[in-house]
Amino acid sequence: MRIDIFTGSVSRLAGGLFNSVRRLHQEIATDPEVTCRVIGLADEFTAVDAPAWRPIDVSAFPVSRPRRFGYSRSQYQAILASNADVAYCPGLWMHYSVSCRKWSKNKTKPYVSAPHG
């Protein structure tokens, strides 16, 4: 099974999500029948913090305006191209959550929305 995580920041700028989402999926990825990948947004700490996601592959894309909404055309395209069996979306109020819903509808595959906070 393949699980893709669609999220905002993959760095410490995500606050508690950096630890909770990362550790959850690292534990899930210990199952030999599961692979995980994260599709997130790049920020000034991404290069330093991305290795903490290992063994999960991290793809981080630049953000366009408006920054607060987290719009990234390249992230949007990567999400829609995902061939995961299920997606995990740890939030509601950013563009990646809209992209997740569209991915689910287009691929007729399930997603888990788990807002934190």
Side-chain angles (χ1 to χ4, degrees):
M1 169 180 275
R2 171 142 168 210
I3 302 169
D4 280 0
I5 304 111
F6 306 147
T7 190
S9 175
V10 296
S11 81
R12 64 190 85 170
L13 286 185
L17 290 177
F18 177 62
N19 291 316
S20 62
V21 173
R22 178 176 53 87
R23 291 297 300 133
L24 170 66
H25 288 87
Q26 284 173 326
E27 287 301 316
I28 290 170
T30 63
D31 183 326
E33 295 183 23
V34 176
T35 58
C36 295
R37 178 178 70 150
V38 63
I39 300 174
L41 299 173
D43 58 50
E44 62 265 31
F45 296 108
T46 301
V48 174
D49 293 343
W53 284 85
R54 287 188 185 123
I56 298 170
D57 291 329
V58 173
S59 298
F61 300 94
V63 180
S64 307
R65 300 265 181 235
R67 174 90 184 141
R68 294 181 98 180
F69 187 50
Y71 177 75
S72 169
R73 182 170 179 78
S74 50
Q75 183 196 39
Y76 175 71
Q77 291 171 334
I79 288 172
L80 293 184
S82 169
N83 62 354
D85 298 304
V86 65
Y88 179 85
C89 186
L92 295 174
W93 307 115
M94 293 184 70
H95 190 262
Y96 67 83
S97 65
V98 175
S99 303
C100 183
R101 173 71 177 109
K102 187 165 187 174
W103 170 86
S104 176
K105 186 175 181 179
N106 288 351
K107 302 280 185 169
T108 62
K109 294 185 178 182
Y111 70 97
V112 175
S113 182
H116 297 253

